[in-house]
Amino acid sequence: METIKERILREGRSLEGGLLKVDGFLNHRIDTNFIMDAAREFVGRFKGTQIDKVITIEAGGIAPALMVAHLLGVPMIYAKKKQPETMSNAITAEVFSYTKSEPAIVSLSRDYLLKGDRVLFIDDFLANGNAAAGIIYLIEQAEAQLVGMGFIIEKAFQPGGDYLRGRGIRVESLAIFESLDEYEQKLV
Ligand code: 5GP
């Protein structure tokens, strides 16, 4: 069976600036079978860990986080990039967007992330760790507990992975790229 990394290598494209384009199956047109395979892998890796909620950030994390939450039978909550007027008791964090190269204030309601909740963060990519740091700050404000972080793709040539592991956080990445050389070889 094709591994998650093989699929990414087959269909992804390497762009300028250390960016991977995977929007044909991961974060624009979504292959639900691919996302479900990834979600099953996360669930297997975090087996034995008590998880009350899965948390993510708009927009790329929503699909994998939803599938993981569904398999675990727990709610999924996502930080929103635009705070709606209907949101009560909002907590916020500033996150620098890797793909848009600009900061954004993300928010979620304290009504849904409760003190003591054991939460698993799931996202599509780990690059510099800014999205993850913003989520950590939201979790701290809610006095919830982070039990781990799962990423479909970790770009290990960027500092996010070392930063998070250095903070003692359990990080599980399904496809780790030490560089984008594998792509350059493929495209020759
Ligand atoms: P970080 O906050 O770790 O620097 O970047 C993570 C976020 O940026 C992810 O939520 C993802 O949306 C986006 N991102 C980072 N690197 C890439 C990339 O190579 N390709 C795409 N499509 N998104 C990325």
Side-chain angles (χ1 to χ4, degrees):
M1 203 183 86
E2 189 178 46
T3 65
I4 287 172
K5 185 161 180 179
E6 284 164 353
R7 173 77 187 272
I8 294 164
L9 274 169
R10 181 163 62 80
E11 275 190 48
R13 290 291 172 266
S14 157
L15 303 180
E16 289 286 311
L19 267 175
L20 270 181
K21 176 175 158 69
V22 286
D23 61 359
F25 61 104
L26 207 166
N27 54 17
H28 188 28
R29 179 178 62 180
I30 295 176
D31 177 342
T32 56
N33 287 319
F34 173 81
I35 300 286
M36 187 50 99
D37 286 347
R40 283 201 191 95
E41 181 66 29
F42 283 130
V43 169
R45 292 194 191 196
F46 285 99
K47 200 168 175 215
T49 302
Q50 190 205 316
I51 296 163
D52 301 320
K53 266 163 209 165
V54 177
I55 191 167
T56 192
I57 187 165
E58 257 185 320
I62 291 179
L66 182 71
M67 297 282 201
V68 171
H70 179 71
L71 291 174
L72 292 173
V74 301
M76 185 277 271
I77 181 169
Y78 65 94
K80 297 193 178 212
K81 289 189 175 152
K82 209 162 191 192
Q83 190 179 321
E85 283 178 22
T86 50
M87 188 184 283
S88 51
N89 296 323
I91 45 180
T92 60
E94 186 174 285
V95 170
F96 189 82
S97 166
Y98 185 88
T99 45
K100 299 196 180 82
S101 297
E102 61 184 26
I105 305 288
V106 301
S107 52
L108 58 78
S109 172
R110 207 186 277 271
D111 297 346
Y112 303 129
L113 184 60
L114 306 179
K115 184 174 178 176
D117 272 347
R118 293 172 57 87
V119 292
L120 172 66
F121 175 60
I122 297 287
D123 206 358
D124 54 351
F125 274 92
L126 173 58
N128 292 327
N130 291 313
I135 288 291
I136 292 170
Y137 184 49
L138 292 175
I139 291 171
E140 282 171 357
Q141 290 176 71
E143 298 179 79
Q145 196 185 332
L146 177 69
V147 298
M149 296 192 152
F151 301 92
I152 296 182
I153 300 173
E154 175 176 344
K155 294 184 294 178
F157 53 92
Q158 289 164 341
D162 285 346
Y163 164 71
L164 295 173
R165 292 184 182 95
R167 288 186 64 159
I169 295 167
R170 178 170 175 200
V171 177
E172 294 286 348
S173 302
L174 306 188
I176 300 180
F177 290 88
E178 299 295 340
S179 75
L180 295 184
D181 292 351
E182 289 167 80
Y183 276 95
E184 280 151 28
Q185 282 157 17
K186 192 179 76 162
L187 295 174
V188 166

